[in-house]
Amino acid sequence: MWKEIPVPFYLSVYFFDVVNPKEILQGQKPRVQERGPYVYREFRHKSNITFNDNDTVSFLEYRSFQFQPDKSRGLESDSIVMPNILVLSAAMMMENGPMSLKLIMTLAFSTLGERAFMNRTVSEIMWGYEDPLIHIINKYFPNTFPFKGKFGLFAELNNSDSGLFTVFTGVKNFSRIHLVDKWNGISKVNFWHSDQCNMINGTSGQMWAPFMTPESSLEFYSPEACRSMKLIYKEQGVFEGIPTFRFVAPNTLFANGSIYPPNEGFCPCRESGIQNVSTCRFNAPLFLSHPHFYNADPVLAEAVSGLHPNPEEHSLFLDIHPVTGIPMNCSVKLQLSLYIKSVKGVGQTGKIEPVILPLMWFGESGAMEGETLQTFYTQLVLMPRVLHYGQYVLLALGCVLLFIPIVYQIRSQEKCYLFWSSSKKGSQDKEAIQAYSESLMTSAPKGTVLQEARL
């Protein structure tokens, strides 16, 4: 189960199609329309598995995605209007640069046909598209981007691994089972501004320590978010007959430093409820949050028309079997947004008012099913239940078996008493008859004629 996860995982992607790009460039409020879901089956397998001497095991987990038309609401060929991340990010990076360089950038954008908003297919946005701007940047500013070819939001995730994880096996110290020792050879990252925020805590996000209680928490390291996350216990539940604990994100997960001081290391911060991930995303002004800015400062959702945050659709959860620490049902939902604004000297940005504009949100979900679920239910629910009630059946049967010889012994004693009683009574009768016979043989006294005649 650990090497090849039998649970089918799905990636559901929703895009925010920009309805009024021209009006945004004139300073008007953005309007978006949610499109999707575009659903992909996610395949995972571990390789390069190496058991180390310090009670750890190292592995690479590869992922690949396959589009599922029957589960999707749309096709990969659908067109989406969204912000041009490369252009608007480059403009933001040059905001404090010299005016001459900004004018050169404007001229270069115009020559290449780059605009603030682009019309691309779902497939291009997800898995990459050719852009001459990327080639120019990589040629004159090498190592600016982590990618060399196509640019896509999930291009680096498909047919690739999530880094080298080294986790504890728990053989020598059971309390450390599944905990991450190192990721890519390091025990903490350097993206953030505090040791606490840079720490790699928890597991790799697939299994947790067994024997959980309501006081337990779920902590895991996410390479995509470049940080560790902690979920808290909410309630008990049942999934397909299997008891579970539900863990959810606390309100402080993406809170800014002024509301939750431990998150100060993730700053520079803006409104509470979004996390600036620019330091681990080639300095692009990207922000991570719950979908539709759920559980964030209301001003964020109010700044964009078409957003409707609600907990039923946009909150994340993990249902864990508390005895084994294995996830039964999970749905992790996150949103990626881009901070856009007008940059003086870069003509492509027009009169855009500063706003955090959602690009897309996605949900990774998986639920145990089929033969795996049946086996799990039989071994960890049905059999313990049978054994639980079986002990009472065996106890009752033992009592019956113990009672039988007692009854037999009592009945045997009763028979012996009856036989002894009857034997004693018989001897007394014989003595009486013998005495009576002797009396008859004795001569009778006078006056007893009548008595003898009567006899």
Side-chain angles (χ1 to χ4, degrees):
M1 176 177 286
W2 173 80
K3 182 179 179 180
E4 301 287 344
I5 299 178
V7 177
F9 281 92
Y10 292 92
L11 176 70
S12 301
V13 183
Y14 299 79
F15 292 97
F16 292 102
D17 191 18
V18 179
V19 178
N20 61 336
K22 294 182 179 179
E23 288 77 7
I24 295 174
L25 289 170
Q26 297 300 319
Q28 295 186 23
K29 181 179 180 179
R31 288 190 294 116
V32 298
Q33 179 182 4
E34 184 179 277
R35 301 273 299 276
Y38 298 91
V39 182
Y40 297 84
R41 173 69 190 275
E42 183 176 350
F43 298 92
R44 302 181 181 184
H45 72 277
K46 293 181 176 65
S47 65
N48 292 28
I49 300 174
T50 304
F51 287 89
N52 307 307
D53 296 332
N54 61 341
D55 193 27
T56 63
V57 58
S58 302
F59 61 89
L60 291 172
E61 183 173 66
Y62 287 88
R63 293 176 296 180
S64 61
F65 299 88
Q66 188 177 74
F67 185 61
Q68 307 289 302
D70 57 318
K71 296 181 179 292
S72 303
R73 188 178 297 175
L75 301 174
E76 283 193 302
S77 58
D78 292 350
S79 295
I80 305 291
V81 176
M82 66 184 306
N84 190 327
I85 300 175
L86 295 175
V87 170
L88 295 174
S89 297
M92 287 293 298
M93 294 177 190
M94 291 302 300
E95 183 177 13
N96 299 319
M99 182 60 68
S100 59
L101 194 56
K102 294 178 185 178
L103 294 176
I104 294 175
M105 178 180 285
T106 300
L107 180 60
F109 286 161
S110 300
T111 304
L112 297 172
E114 301 284 355
R115 299 185 179 183
F117 292 90
M118 62 181 185
N119 192 332
R120 298 283 183 179
T121 66
V122 170
S123 179
E124 289 175 328
I125 297 171
M126 288 288 294
W127 313 120
Y129 57 88
E130 294 287 348
D131 195 309
L133 180 60
I134 297 177
H135 298 291
I136 292 176
I137 293 176
N138 285 333
K139 181 178 180 179
Y140 295 102
F141 305 96
N143 301 321
T144 301
F145 295 142
F147 44 85
K148 302 301 180 183
K150 294 182 178 181
F151 172 73
L153 295 178
F154 282 78
E156 299 298 311
L157 299 181
N158 195 22
N159 297 316
S160 64
D161 63 83
S162 55
L164 181 66
F165 274 97
T166 301
V167 303
F168 287 96
T169 63
V171 174
K172 297 180 180 178
N173 187 348
F174 187 72
S175 64
R176 306 191 73 179
I177 186 171
H178 303 311
L179 293 179
V180 176
D181 179 38
K182 295 181 185 297
W183 175 75
N184 282 341
I186 58 176
S187 56
K188 67 177 183 178
V189 297
N190 59 358
F191 300 120
W192 315 113
H193 308 295
S194 71
D195 290 337
Q196 181 177 355
C197 293
N198 279 322
M199 291 178 64
I200 297 177
N201 298 323
T203 72
S204 60
Q206 296 176 356
M207 298 177 71
W208 284 266
F211 308 115
M212 292 181 169
T213 67
E215 287 71 36
S216 303
S217 62
L218 291 189
E219 197 164 10
F220 60 95
Y221 177 73
S222 170
E224 290 73 31
C226 309
R227 58 165 290 188
S228 298
M229 297 185 180
K230 179 185 287 188
L231 307 184
I232 59 174
Y233 172 85
K234 180 183 180 182
E235 61 190 1
Q236 293 188 29
V238 177
F239 175 75
E240 300 293 343
I242 299 173
T244 60
F245 283 178
R246 170 159 290 192
F247 293 86
V248 299
N251 296 335
T252 57
L253 183 61
F254 296 122
N256 61 23
S258 60
I259 291 180
Y260 187 62
N263 282 354
E264 187 69 35
F266 295 121
C267 293
C269 300
R270 295 188 61 84
E271 294 83 359
S272 188
I274 57 176
Q275 181 189 328
N276 188 337
V277 293
S278 59
T279 54
C280 75
R281 287 292 177 263
F282 49 90
N283 290 320
L286 294 169
F287 289 82
L288 203 62
S289 69
H290 295 295
H292 287 244
F293 296 122
Y294 165 70
N295 213 14
D297 191 325
V299 71
L300 293 166
E302 294 170 358
V304 180
S305 298
L307 301 182
H308 310 285
N310 69 79
E312 289 76 19
E313 296 182 13
H314 303 138
S315 61
L316 63 85
F317 68 86
L318 271 77
D319 291 338
I320 309 294
H321 183 244
V323 177
T324 61
I326 297 176
M328 296 288 102
N329 184 28
C330 62
S331 181
V332 178
K333 303 170 183 177
L334 296 172
Q335 176 178 292
L336 190 65
S337 305
L338 180 69
Y339 178 55
I340 63 174
K341 61 178 290 188
S342 175
V343 177
K344 187 178 180 180
V346 182
Q348 282 74 15
T349 60
K351 301 177 182 178
I352 300 176
E353 289 293 322
V355 64
I356 306 290
L357 186 62
L359 303 175
M360 58 174 291
W361 72 270
F362 59 91
E364 273 192 301
S365 59
M368 191 173 287
E369 60 183 29
E371 184 178 347
T372 304
L373 176 64
Q374 187 61 42
T375 302
F376 197 93
Y377 177 80
T378 301
Q379 294 181 353
L380 295 177
V381 178
L382 187 60
M383 287 303 296
R385 190 174 296 171
V386 170
L387 293 175
H388 175 72
Y389 291 107
Q391 64 182 349
Y392 297 107
V393 174
L394 293 175
L395 180 62
L397 183 62
C399 291
V400 171
L401 294 176
L402 182 64
F403 185 68
I404 289 175
I406 295 176
V407 172
Y408 178 79
Q409 183 70 19
I410 295 175
R411 294 293 300 273
S412 298
Q413 291 179 355
E414 288 181 349
K415 289 180 180 180
C416 292
Y417 175 76
L418 291 175
F419 177 77
W420 178 79
S421 299
S422 60
S423 299
K424 183 177 181 181
K425 182 177 180 181
S427 61
Q428 290 177 349
D429 291 342
K430 289 180 180 179
E431 292 177 357
I433 293 172
Q434 184 177 359
Y436 177 68
S437 299
E438 291 176 355
S439 65
L440 291 178
M441 296 175 65
T442 305
S443 57
K446 295 179 180 181
T448 60
V449 178
L450 180 60
Q451 181 178 357
E452 291 178 358
R454 184 178 300 171
L455 292 172

